[in-house]
Structures are given as C-alpha cells and as structure tokens.
Amino acid sequence: IYAVADALEDRGWSVDRQQRPSSIHCTLMSRHADIMDAYITDLRAAVAAGTPLGDLLLVAAGDLLGHPV
C-alpha cells in the first residue's frame, strides 16, 4: 500500500500513511468534488502500478467513496 502512496505523491497528491494495519488515510469533503475525478484517475494508476491486487483495492475504494473507481 505504501507503493500506492508513493505513486500518488509522485502525481502531486499529499498522502498520509498509517500503520497497524498499513494503510493510506484519505479525507474527502464536498469542497473536493471538483478534483475527485482527477484523484480517482491518479488512484487507479497508482494502484495498478503499485500492487497485483489493484482491482480488489479499487473496488474497496469505490465502495468507501460511494463513487465507482
């Protein structure tokens, strides 16, 4: 998951890494609506590049966001 965080940072996003379990903390608010599509596009690319479980993580992210990823 930290490889995904690294890839997101390479794309200019600020990423908060957490431990136990290893995770990325992401806060989205209504004021982020205009950049959500760009974030999801970059998240999709970061996950695809960072892990063989990319599709599984994207489904989970979409469920959490209430927005298909």
Side-chain angles (χ1 to χ4, degrees):
I1 194 73
Y2 296 136
V4 173
D6 292 343
L8 283 169
E9 284 184 339
D10 289 346
R11 290 170 171 78
W13 299 100
S14 177
V15 180
D16 183 20
R17 293 163 183 80
Q18 298 189 346
Q19 301 177 20
R20 298 184 194 105
S22 299
S23 58
I24 296 172
H25 181 230
C26 175
T27 302
L28 294 173
M29 298 182 286
S30 59
R31 69 181 191 168
H32 296 124
D34 60 331
I35 61 168
M36 187 175 359
D37 288 337
Y39 181 80
I40 290 172
T41 296
D42 287 347
L43 176 62
R44 179 180 290 281
V47 169
T51 176
L53 299 175
D55 289 340
L56 178 62
L57 290 174
L58 287 171
V59 168
D63 289 345
L64 290 173
L65 294 171
H67 185 287
V69 179

